[in-house]
Amino acid sequence: MSKIAIILHAEPGTHDALGRALHALLYSKELNEEGHDVQLIFDGGGTKWIEEFSKEHKMSPLYQSLKSAGIIAGVCDYCVTAFGGEKELVKKEELPLIAEYKGHPSIAKLVADGYQIITL
């Protein structure tokens, strides 16, 4: 089966961003159900979805199911604060902070590990 990393960059606040977030979660779920190795990473403005999903949000149950299944690889360590988020909330959500390349997730590492990259 394939290895896919889905990186959510879209910052909450627009219908487009909501659609990108929904599809990042849905694609992750579907690929996992079909036996693919999937990692969902929250990066850039997408790190702000952690706060949204930690509250009552219509997509929180889907987010929680992905979290429970271990599909969420983590949250960009640099971007979570750069975009106004809180590292303590990420830790409370029990999600890893990723800082492999200058405080960010390493795309090169994902590619070297055989992952196809999808960004939304």
Side-chain angles (χ1 to χ4, degrees):
M1 290 289 159
S2 297
K3 296 170 81 172
I4 299 108
I6 298 175
I7 302 172
L8 179 58
H9 283 278
E11 185 173 345
T14 66
H15 289 311
D16 178 63
L18 182 63
R20 289 174 185 267
L22 171 63
H23 288 91
L25 299 178
L26 284 176
Y27 296 163
S28 296
K29 181 175 175 57
E30 179 186 9
L31 288 164
N32 182 67
E33 288 174 349
E34 294 297 319
H36 298 281
D37 180 353
V38 183
Q39 290 190 10
L40 176 58
I41 300 169
F42 293 84
D43 199 3
T47 59
K48 293 179 86 173
W49 284 106
I50 303 306
E51 183 178 347
E52 295 292 314
F53 296 152
S54 70
K55 302 183 238 175
E56 189 172 322
H57 190 283
K58 60 186 167 188
M59 293 192 309
S60 292
L62 179 55
Y63 160 78
Q64 291 296 336
S65 73
L66 295 176
K67 193 169 86 166
S68 296
I71 296 168
I72 300 176
V75 179
C76 178
D77 185 53
Y78 180 86
C79 291
V80 71
T81 53
F83 283 85
E86 298 178 27
K87 287 185 184 183
E88 289 307 312
L89 177 60
V90 173
K91 291 175 184 175
K92 181 180 175 193
E93 285 290 302
E94 300 179 348
L95 295 172
L97 289 161
I98 305 171
E100 301 157 325
Y101 181 75
K102 299 185 180 190
H104 302 274
S106 172
I107 297 299
K109 181 179 181 298
L110 289 166
V111 170
D113 289 344
Y115 283 87
Q116 298 172 39
I117 310 295
I118 298 172
T119 59
L120 293 168

